[in-house]
Amino acid sequence: MLSARTAEEAAKVLSECGYGDFPAVLTPSAIEAALDGARQAVFADLRREAPDPAMVDVFCIKYDYHNMKVLIKGEATGQDPAPLLLEAGRYPAGRLREDYEKGALDRYAPRFRQAAAEAREALAASGDPQAADLVLDRACYA
């Protein structure tokens, strides 16, 4: 796929690898949607087969933190975060967005909530989006 010169060539490689067919009008977002769907299917399969489905969460946590970065930066810039949210985390992206916008993160893990609050403060204090990233990355990998 890395050697593909066009989106169509990349889609052909993905189709041959089992990612299914792609629409006639191919866009980068269509490829991303296919990859996202495959990722969700893999996580669902792993949860069904794992002795302890919670073990799969280790691989999903980074998507929750990614989504929180998107929400915080979207809020700070006034941009719609929806196109950048990913549905591969422990928490459904839509629900996380709703809860974040309401300021109701009580249902989420304490470390995640605390990191979100600290990241918002870091961005507000510094104006530097990387400050928020660092806070969230540190919490994610802790």
Side-chain angles (χ1 to χ4, degrees):
M1 192 171 123
L2 292 174
S3 64
R5 295 180 189 170
T6 65
E8 289 76 15
E9 287 180 18
K12 181 179 178 194
V13 170
L14 290 172
S15 291
E16 291 170 356
C17 292
Y19 283 85
D21 294 325
F22 288 85
V25 177
L26 192 60
T27 63
S29 62
I31 293 174
E32 183 62 36
L35 293 172
D36 191 43
R39 181 176 35 247
Q40 289 179 46
V42 166
F43 287 149
D45 287 346
L46 287 172
R47 280 192 176 90
R48 276 193 301 278
E49 300 297 327
D52 180 1
M55 290 172 45
V56 179
D57 286 349
V58 170
F59 302 100
C60 300
I61 289 171
K62 70 179 185 175
Y63 298 103
D64 295 326
Y65 282 91
H66 162 83
N67 287 340
M68 185 53 68
K69 288 177 186 181
V70 169
L71 292 169
I72 290 171
K73 292 176 188 178
E75 177 184 47
T77 63
Q79 295 179 339
D80 180 15
L84 298 175
L85 294 174
L86 299 173
E87 285 295 347
R90 300 167 298 170
Y91 311 125
R95 173 176 269 188
L96 178 60
R97 179 182 181 179
E98 287 175 23
D99 291 344
Y100 177 80
E101 289 173 351
K102 292 178 189 173
L105 296 178
D106 298 349
R107 72 177 80 213
Y108 302 94
R111 181 180 300 242
F112 185 70
R113 283 195 320 261
Q114 180 180 357
E118 290 175 9
R120 282 180 83 192
E121 291 172 12
L123 178 56
S126 69
D128 182 2
Q130 285 186 331
D133 286 349
L134 290 172
V135 170
L136 290 165
D137 287 345
R138 196 173 303 119
C140 178
Y141 294 110

